[in-house]
Amino acid sequence: MTVYLPDGKALEVPEGATARDVAQRIGPGLAKAAVGALVDGELYDLFKPLPPGARVRILTEKDPEFQTLFRHTLAHVLAQAVREYFREKGYDPDSVKLGVGPVIEKGFYYDIDAPEPLSDEDLPAIEEKMREILRRDLPLRRFVLPREEALARYRGKDPYKTELILEIPEGEEISFYQQGDESFGFTDLCRGPHVPSTGRIPPHFKLTHVAGAYWRGDERRPMLQRVYGVAFRTAEELKEYLWQLEEAKKRDHRRLGRELELFLIDPMVGKGLVLWLPKGNVVREELMAFMREEQVRRGYQLVTTPHIGSLELYKTSGHYPYYAESQFPPISFKERGEEEAYLLKPMNCPHHIRIYAYRKRSYRELPLRLAEFGTVYRYEKAGELLGLTRVRGFTQDDAHIFCTPEQVKGEFLGVLDLVLKVFATLGLKDYRARIGVRDPKSEKYVGDEAKWALAERQIEEAAAEAGLRYTVEEGDAAFYGPKLDFVVKDALGREWQLGTIQVDYNLPERFGLTYVGPDGEEHRPVMLHRAPFGSLERFIGILIEHFAGDFPLWLAPVQAVVVPVSEKQADYAQEVAHRLKEAGLRAEADLRNERMQAKVRDAEVQKIPYVLVIGEKEKAEGTVSVRRRHRGNLGGMPLPAFLEGALKEYRERLLESPF
């Protein structure tokens, strides 16, 4: 058969040839260096037969795809190490049942049903077993078995692998990978791809933790133990990641939320339902006030909608039953013999659509921008809930723009400007955009093809005009229209998706929305969905970790604390705190019967931006001695001078102190 090299050169190889055969035909140096191949853009290892006519590019350890290959093989090495670990403890290795072991961002994991529970304390010993397997340099090989032979390997021994085999469609090959020999090696059901041998894996990996994971993510199925690991090409990358991991623990918003008294999630109230404590609510209200100011300035009209809606509303929008599994069950009852059904609001858009539709609209009213801090409710499985970042009830800074097709680009530019204003105000400087467009081979999309093409072009033009660094992701569009997502890096270099803008042709069609054009005829508007914060809960969770709870002055729950040196200055401390509050700052006087140094230290622990120390000298002169977090002692100054600078920092939402 014929395959083609990157330069277009045709190469004749036997039918069933692999990438290893191609590498050997090219030359012995490449054959020795090869670790895998890109075959028609798909990642292959050196063992899988190539299809006829394939375009083949041989990969070496210098290629970025090498990381995917060795991380996948490390998952198998982990499984083999766990089996050997339990064999040394006196168990039959087959008593270790195995689920799945995929590659994930930064590393890998394996779901394991072990004869006794694993804990983080077991990981160093298992990790040493893995390093031993790498040193053995076990060669890998791939082989395929008929369905019955494949099932015979696991039936009655491993229910998880048996289930996976039974789900493979008839006619599709069932492949296995073996590392080492059958007696002292390890064989696993797997599609691949893998490195040629365990000795090709860089030793820069670490097992990080053990967590519970339901089989197939179903809480009705057995609970397995998921062992996580990270792996990198170099020791420097691993060291940097482990530092980030430790720093992330210190910044964990769940821990800081408790320590700084920002929020709590009470089991008696319900899983995934956030209670905002007074200090946390300050952060929330400040963000909402900022967004509200910006929206009003940009021509948005603010609306308020209920927390529930008629089930018929969501049937019309398509949210029910198509997304029923991520929603709470309908609330049904009879009223005067008539059945009524409601749904806890999963989306704000159908409510905004009904506001648009309550009367006839003219093209002169467009674009119509409706905005709301709308609380919605989604059913998340208990095992997937995570602090503020994965909850069951959350508030979105949601807005929907109804416009003509020709106005899409201008409205997109306006939303981009708003999102970039949010990022700049919060000091989020490292971001990129992803534009999701149609997959031309798919038929899942709704709406007129010409309108889609226009919207995709307008979005890309808007992103270019805004000077954004962006990629175009084919097939990443929603079924109802193209979209743009922002991906932001935080202080630890972690990426978060923040802010989405979506073009929607589907909902205006489903609800029969129209406007009267200049020609006197009815036309269908285009709808834009946008939420720069996304969910306030998730956004604040990310900000807590980004700032490590050390908020800029405008977001700080307590902006200044007044600390008297002794009881003699208590009256002046109260007077200063009162004047700060009257001026609009969030201030407290710390009059506890504690030493001044202890009070200053407590203010540092609570991450309060300003500490104003009051002694006899300050009381006599009407001044304050100012300490700023991260800046230290700024010295004494008249109270009006401090107020002027602090108010400027607060009202202008500055990230740095003006002092």
Side-chain angles (χ1 to χ4, degrees):
M1 67 180 185
T2 304
V3 296
Y4 298 92
L5 302 181
D7 61 3
K9 180 183 175 183
L11 196 67
E12 296 298 320
V13 293
E15 189 174 333
T18 64
R20 172 173 275 156
D21 298 322
V22 172
Q24 287 170 341
R25 287 285 304 277
I26 295 171
L30 184 61
K32 187 176 180 182
V35 292
L38 281 179
V39 180
D40 295 330
E42 184 182 342
L43 186 58
Y44 270 48
D45 51 38
L46 298 181
F47 314 111
K48 186 176 179 179
L50 303 172
R55 295 192 173 275
V56 181
R57 180 165 76 83
I58 301 299
L59 302 173
T60 70
E61 293 178 10
K62 295 178 182 177
D63 289 294
E65 292 83 1
F66 175 51
Q67 200 157 247
T68 302
L69 291 167
F70 72 68
R71 284 173 174 168
H72 192 182
T73 309
L74 270 171
H76 283 217
V77 171
L78 165 61
Q80 180 178 352
V82 170
R83 285 169 58 88
E84 292 184 7
Y85 179 68
F86 278 105
R87 181 171 60 195
E88 290 184 1
K89 295 182 83 170
Y91 290 98
D92 181 344
D94 288 340
S95 66
V96 178
K97 312 290 192 295
L98 299 170
V100 293
V103 174
I104 55 174
E105 187 184 10
K106 312 288 188 194
F108 57 94
Y109 70 75
Y110 217 117
D111 286 342
I112 297 169
D113 186 349
E116 63 180 63
L118 288 166
S119 71
D120 290 351
E121 284 69 41
D122 296 301
L123 298 186
I126 294 170
E127 193 177 301
E128 184 50 43
K129 286 275 174 206
M130 293 175 69
R131 296 189 188 283
E132 184 185 316
I133 292 167
L134 265 60
R135 289 191 291 270
R136 286 187 231 160
D137 193 17
L138 303 178
L140 274 80
R141 76 177 184 94
R142 179 183 186 271
F143 62 92
V144 175
L145 290 178
R147 179 177 294 267
E148 283 310 311
E149 282 188 49
L151 284 169
R153 293 181 73 95
Y154 295 113
R155 192 175 273 140
K157 301 176 186 175
D158 191 323
Y160 311 111
K161 297 296 185 187
T162 302
E163 181 178 324
L164 292 172
I165 292 170
L166 289 171
E167 289 181 357
I168 297 173
E170 288 286 347
E172 190 175 309
E173 68 178 18
I174 302 172
S175 60
F176 294 81
Y177 281 79
Q178 180 181 316
Q179 53 203 39
D181 60 34
E182 194 73 39
S183 303
F184 297 101
F186 171 68
T187 302
D188 201 3
L189 172 73
C190 185
R191 289 192 175 95
H194 290 280
V195 294
S197 71
T198 60
R200 301 294 290 270
I201 299 170
H204 315 301
F205 68 89
K206 184 170 182 60
L207 299 182
T208 55
H209 62 289
V210 180
Y214 290 110
W215 173 235
R216 314 303 286 274
D218 187 340
E219 55 198 14
R220 296 165 298 183
R221 309 294 300 277
M223 171 72 81
L224 307 186
Q225 288 192 284
R226 180 169 293 177
V227 181
Y228 284 94
V230 294
F232 299 90
R233 291 164 171 269
T234 67
E236 291 74 21
E237 288 176 291
L238 177 61
K239 183 180 178 183
E240 172 72 12
Y241 179 78
L242 294 177
W243 173 84
Q244 287 182 345
L245 215 57
E246 285 305 308
E247 190 64 23
K249 288 178 185 175
K250 297 175 195 172
R251 292 169 177 253
D252 188 323
H253 73 277
R254 293 165 295 179
R255 182 174 72 83
L256 290 172
R258 287 191 304 273
E259 291 175 1
L260 302 178
E261 298 183 348
L262 300 174
F263 70 92
L264 64 89
I265 296 173
D266 186 334
M268 185 172 279
V269 173
K271 295 175 182 176
L273 300 175
V274 180
L275 297 175
W276 290 102
L277 302 177
K279 289 181 178 178
N281 205 57
V282 167
V283 181
R284 193 173 186 274
E285 289 293 330
E286 284 286 356
L287 286 168
M288 289 169 64
F290 166 51
M291 183 57 67
R292 195 175 289 115
E293 285 172 25
E294 287 295 327
Q295 288 180 153
V296 170
R297 191 167 65 79
R298 294 162 188 265
Y300 286 82
Q301 298 179 57
L302 306 182
V303 297
T304 302
T305 61
H307 288 237
I308 63 172
S310 160
L311 192 60
E312 288 304 312
L313 177 70
Y314 297 105
K315 285 181 178 178
T316 303
S317 71
H319 291 110
Y320 189 89
Y322 301 112
Y323 302 104
E325 63 183 26
S326 62
Q327 298 164 9
F328 284 94
I331 305 162
S332 301
F333 56 89
K334 280 192 174 181
E335 178 76 19
R336 296 179 182 175
E338 186 179 329
E339 188 78 30
E340 289 193 51
Y342 291 84
L343 203 61
L344 282 174
K345 182 169 64 173
M347 297 278 193
N348 295 303
C349 35
H351 293 72
H352 291 188
I353 286 170
R354 297 312 299 162
I355 291 174
Y356 176 93
Y358 89 95
R359 63 173 175 81
K360 186 170 277 194
R361 302 287 180 178
S362 163
Y363 72 95
R364 292 187 180 89
E365 296 177 73
L366 305 186
L368 178 66
R369 307 179 188 102
L370 301 179
E372 153 176 48
F373 290 99
T375 300
V376 296
Y377 302 89
R378 310 265 177 88
Y379 175 71
E380 298 278 2
K381 291 178 181 175
E384 295 174 347
L385 298 171
L386 184 65
L388 293 176
T389 57
R390 203 76 182 265
V391 292
R392 286 176 170 168
F394 53 92
T395 301
Q396 294 177 304
D397 61 323
D398 218 352
H400 297 91
I401 301 170
F402 302 87
C403 63
T404 69
E406 296 75 25
Q407 291 171 332
V408 168
K409 178 181 172 182
E411 290 306 299
F412 229 88
L413 277 168
V415 176
L416 289 178
D417 185 66
L418 173 58
V419 174
L420 297 182
K421 176 67 184 286
V422 169
F423 292 169
T425 303
L426 291 164
L428 300 168
K429 298 174 183 175
D430 193 350
Y431 53 82
R432 59 186 174 88
R434 292 188 308 230
I435 298 175
V437 299
R438 291 167 297 171
D439 176 356
K441 301 189 190 86
S442 175
E443 297 181 359
K444 73 173 184 177
Y445 307 103
V446 299
D448 179 71
E449 191 168 323
K451 288 179 180 176
W452 267 84
L454 174 63
E456 289 174 349
R457 188 174 72 250
Q458 287 178 321
I459 291 171
E460 199 163 342
E461 287 174 358
E465 281 187 33
L468 286 180
R469 179 167 55 99
Y470 68 89
T471 55
V472 177
E473 308 287 338
E474 200 173 85
D476 204 31
F479 74 92
Y480 50 75
K483 64 174 182 171
L484 183 146
D485 296 325
F486 279 96
V487 179
V488 179
K489 280 190 178 179
D490 68 9
L492 294 182
R494 299 172 300 181
E495 288 197 329
W496 302 88
Q497 183 184 316
L498 289 178
T500 297
I501 317 169
Q502 296 179 321
V503 179
D504 187 349
Y505 297 112
N506 178 50
L507 287 179
E509 190 75 39
R510 292 183 77 103
F511 281 91
L513 302 184
T514 61
Y515 65 90
V516 178
D519 58 0
E521 299 294 322
E522 289 193 337
H523 301 270
R524 190 80 72 212
V526 182
M527 187 174 171
L528 269 64
H529 306 248
R530 54 109 283 210
F533 293 156
S535 140
L536 273 169
E537 283 71 12
R538 181 172 177 273
F539 193 72
I540 292 172
I542 293 167
L543 287 184
I544 291 170
E545 298 194 4
H546 175 67
F547 290 118
D550 210 348
F551 294 112
L553 186 72
W554 70 278
L555 288 176
V558 178
Q559 295 168 320
V561 63
V562 185
V563 175
V565 173
S566 71
E567 290 180 8
K568 296 175 184 177
Q569 298 88 37
D571 55 344
Y572 181 55
Q574 285 181 301
E575 180 191 334
V576 169
H578 178 70
R579 287 179 64 183
L580 296 179
K581 289 177 186 175
E582 275 197 328
L585 292 174
R586 295 184 288 274
E588 297 174 352
D590 189 345
L591 304 178
R592 293 176 300 157
N593 187 24
E594 298 278 355
R595 294 177 63 211
M596 182 266 289
Q597 291 86 347
K599 295 177 183 180
V600 171
R601 188 172 60 250
D602 288 347
E604 282 287 317
V605 169
Q606 286 297 305
K607 303 179 188 291
I608 297 171
Y610 286 105
V611 178
L612 307 183
V613 179
I614 305 293
E616 276 303 307
K617 180 173 179 288
E618 287 77 19
K619 180 178 178 181
E621 295 176 355
T623 60
V624 289
S625 180
V626 181
R627 295 175 61 90
R628 181 66 164 95
R629 267 185 71 77
H630 307 301
R631 295 278 298 280
N633 191 353
L634 303 181
M637 64 180 74
L639 182 56
F642 170 74
L643 271 173
E644 182 182 351
L647 287 171
K648 175 183 173 68
E649 184 180 350
Y650 174 32
R651 290 169 180 164
E652 296 181 18
R653 300 187 174 98
L654 302 179
L655 292 169
E656 298 291 338
S657 169
F659 296 112

